[in-house]
Amino acid sequence: MENSIVKLRGYKDGLHLIIKPKVALSEVETAVNELLDGMNPPLSGTSIHIDLTTSPLTSEDMKELETHLTENYNLVVSGVNLLDENEESPILAAPATHSIAPNIQADDQTEFGQAKIVRHTIRSGQTTSCLTGSIIIYGDVNPGGEVVASGDIIVLGTLRGNAHAGAHGKLSSVIIAMELVPLQLQIGTYVNRPPLGQKPRGYPEIARVGAEDVIIVEEFIKF
Amino acid sequence: MGKVIVITSGKGGVGKTTSTANLGTALAMIGKTVVIIDADVGLRNLDVVMGLESRVVYTSMDVIEKRCELEKALVKDRRVEDLFLLAASQRNRKDDIKPEQMLEICERLKEIYDFVLIDSPAGIEQGFHNAAAGADEAIIVTTPDVSAIRDADRIIGLLQNLDIEQITLVLNRLSPTLVKKGNMISKNDVLDILNIDLLGIVPEDPDVIASTNRGVPLVHNNGSPGAEAYMRIARRMIGQRIPIPEMRDDNFFSNILQWFSRNK
């Protein structure tokens, strides 16, 4: 895997497709097909960045690759990063040094499948998930209950259980609840929990991945 | 046509059997015809709590396997008219009974009796499903501690999956002194999480253990706080509008203070 032509990595701003330098377009496409076809559940409807160092890929080649990803895999290419050959590749760089401001702009353009609306409380032992987008819950999520979404999670009640947003690695996903006193929060691969004995604060809160690669929670005023 | 009500909790030891015995007795005392069914096959003890242990001849298993008629398996209570017990088999296991068989028994009993109360076993497995199979309504019994509330929440979810819509809560063993000190979860906290209607609160009452051991349900013991609470719940079950009294503190001085503040 480490020496393969393309790699998929999750960063704070979402998924990155990293292309090995000095490989021809046909080889890149074959490698992309191999990588994406082997994924279960399939990666679809999400946005990705393409990272490439100096390579023989021309801008026409890039266009073709983008079209290929969009048409065959329903992926949206939200940016192309051209990296200097001498610069450390983002794979080697520790994620913490990979500085990305909370980037909402890119997501505004991203249609994210359909949101799932749940019209009841998620009780202990119950799970609800939406792997094609966001979830909105008209009720509470009680301790022992679990919500998983590939997009955002919005709870119009009290979140007391577990919530996992950005389940496919979209780190710009957020969790919003009228009262946020969860057992555990997860965004992408980051997990956090509130301090023991946390009391409801009485106002809506939002959880997101902050600059230090930790999930931060703050009062939700506006997006 | 009567009502079949399952009394359940998820967690064990929160007072399902005590509540079934007392509510059944209380309903019969206010003139309703009642059957209480022990659904805890293999670990029966509703007969013990009712003091009817020595009178059980046939069990629900005998009815299901057609060794006796349903009417014949009902044990008449010693003290109250129109109160009957259908005991569970002690020799069998919970998966020896199927939900359809319990449903059939419940359907037949509710044709004749006003109330059929089912004492559910703890847990969420076959025993619970048997107990809930014939139920029109459910009463959740919980104590004010996190593990009992967590299990109650789980059970409510399962009951809703079984399309039992009418689910009410009995909050058992609430101690006003401890709530006041902040050492116990309060009524409002419990209702906040479970989000179902409160049917009643039963205070912590040392008489419960004594009455259980004697085989005389607490409601026969006039004047004890637990007995009064169960009588009020029974009256609410037959549709009377009886307010749930705010719990008073055991402390004499704070009672007086409360009395003054009420009269301001």
Side-chain angles (χ1 to χ4, degrees), chain A residues 120-126 140 142-144 158 160 183, chain B residues 150-151 153-154 156-158 160-161 192-196:
Chain A
H120 58 84
T121 289
I122 308 295
R123 296 186 180 273
S124 174
Q126 296 178 328
D140 300 339
N142 280 352
T158 307
R160 303 185 187 89
L183 293 177
Chain B
R150 185 77 58 92
D151 291 2
D153 192 45
R154 179 92 168 94
I156 295 169
L158 293 174
Q160 284 170 341
N161 288 349
D192 224 31
I193 292 183
L194 296 182
N195 199 14
I196 55 175

